[in-house]
Amino acid sequence: MSYEGWILLTASLVGLSCGLIGVFLILRKMAMMADAISHTVLLGIVTAYLITRELSGMHMLIGAIIAGLLTAVLVQLLHSFGVQQDASIGVVFTTLFAIGVILIATKTGNVHLDVQHALMGEITFVPWNTMDVPLVGEMPQATFILLIVFAIVLIMILAFYKEWKITTFDAALAASLGIPVMLMHYVFMTLVSITTVASFDAVGAIMVVAMLITPAAAAYLWTDRLSVMLCLSALFGAMSAIGGYYIAVWIDTSISGSMAFATGILFLISFIGSPNHGFLARYIRPVTIQE
């Protein structure tokens, strides 16, 4: 596959995985959790480096996943003590991210752990960091990891579709039916963390947040069916990745930034043109006069 092809495939996998996960974040009213986890994973990455003194390897992934899960646990803990959920997310997010930034500034010295790179990512470097995959051959490491993550997310959603649906729309009903609501919550947060971490290094925190939230929000405007919303959100994520790449090539700018911008364009189109909840539909739809 060509250099351009690997970039497009990697970004599309980010869009597909984040698009699927983002639907449940939107429906559970936890959109800001995506922003929180995409930033607090920095603390996990820095901590993993301070323990191992190595900048690559599975320990970095494990550290970031632990940081993501820690974020979810602390947010839930504060919420259980009566703090509003959005306030809990804000407190945990800013505190853990700030600790990560302070550790970079004071403990890592001249090691290349760059906050700017963490926020924006650099997907153009993805094709150069390759690995040998059995039966496939040489391929970028980030692409291989994202393929695995997408498979895990897809399998988990399909295998427990009814459970995700019930716990998302009516947690009390789910509990009365014997579904372990809190276990499902933490499994979901694990999926969010894994997806965020896998996408984080390649595309940066900004694009991760954009891909987790905006395609799902756009899909929400087009349909009221969960299955259709999942398909549309994944499609919008992939379309944003591909469209954003060509926008970046056209105007010679950041690829990740352009992909995030493309998600905004798709949302704007959905917001204006959606037949059910769109801006124009509200004015074109005839008004029913009650007698």
Side-chain angles (χ1 to χ4, degrees):
M1 188 179 292
S2 66
Y3 172 83
E4 180 182 88
W6 285 123
I7 292 178
L8 289 173
L9 176 58
T10 304
S12 296
L13 287 170
V14 173
L16 290 169
S17 301
C18 291
L20 292 173
I21 289 294
V23 168
F24 293 103
L25 282 172
I26 291 288
L27 294 177
R28 290 168 179 247
K29 296 180 173 60
M30 298 179 66
M32 287 306 297
M33 183 63 80
D35 192 25
I37 292 179
S38 66
H39 284 75
T40 56
V41 292
L42 182 65
L43 175 60
I45 292 171
V46 177
T47 304
Y49 165 75
L50 292 176
I51 294 172
T52 64
R53 293 293 169 177
E54 295 180 4
L55 282 172
S56 61
M58 186 58 66
H59 60 276
M60 303 293 277
L61 182 64
I62 294 172
I65 291 173
I66 291 174
L69 290 175
L70 177 63
T71 303
V73 170
L74 290 176
V75 168
Q76 188 64 33
L77 180 64
L78 289 178
H79 186 53
S80 67
F81 279 103
V83 181
Q84 291 186 355
Q85 190 169 62
D86 55 349
S88 302
I89 293 172
V91 170
V92 174
F93 154 40
T94 52
T95 301
L96 296 186
F97 182 64
I99 294 172
V101 173
I102 291 170
L103 288 176
I104 287 179
T106 59
K107 299 295 184 180
T108 61
N110 294 323
V111 175
H112 182 63
L113 283 173
D114 184 12
V115 175
Q116 180 66 23
H117 175 77
L119 292 176
M120 294 303 298
E122 193 47 78
I123 198 171
T124 54
F125 294 154
V126 163
W128 305 114
N129 186 14
T130 60
M131 62 182 294
D132 287 322
V133 180
L135 304 177
V136 177
E138 193 174 55
M139 70 182 299
Q141 182 177 342
T143 308
F144 178 69
I145 292 174
L146 285 165
L147 273 171
I148 294 175
V149 169
F150 174 63
I152 292 172
V153 169
L154 187 60
I155 290 170
M156 290 297 292
I157 289 177
L158 292 176
F160 300 100
Y161 180 77
K162 290 182 180 179
E163 287 81 359
W164 296 127
K165 189 174 183 178
I166 296 173
T167 55
T168 296
F169 290 106
D170 196 335
L173 174 62
S176 68
L177 294 173
I179 297 174
V181 176
M182 288 308 300
L183 176 61
M184 294 297 294
H185 171 74
Y186 285 116
V187 169
F188 176 65
M189 284 295 101
T190 302
L191 291 176
V192 174
S193 299
I194 292 172
T195 304
T196 302
V197 170
S199 308
F200 181 84
D201 186 53
V203 299
I206 301 299
M207 183 177 162
V208 172
V209 175
M211 286 293 189
L212 279 169
I213 302 305
T214 318
Y220 184 82
L221 296 172
W222 287 95
T223 182
D224 295 323
R225 294 184 58 189
L226 178 59
S227 58
V228 177
M229 186 178 175
L230 286 165
C231 293
L232 282 177
S233 182
L235 176 63
F236 288 162
M239 288 172 58
S240 299
I242 296 170
Y245 174 81
Y246 287 108
I247 291 173
V249 171
W250 176 38
I251 62 177
D252 189 23
T253 188
S254 165
I255 295 176
S256 294
S258 296
M259 290 176 180
F261 174 68
T263 65
I265 294 176
L266 274 174
F267 177 80
L268 182 62
I269 293 171
S270 301
F271 178 74
I272 295 174
S274 167
N276 294 327
H277 306 291
F279 180 78
L280 293 179
R282 295 184 180 183
Y283 291 94
I284 296 175
R285 187 183 298 119
V287 179
T288 302
I289 299 177
Q290 296 181 349
E291 295 183 358

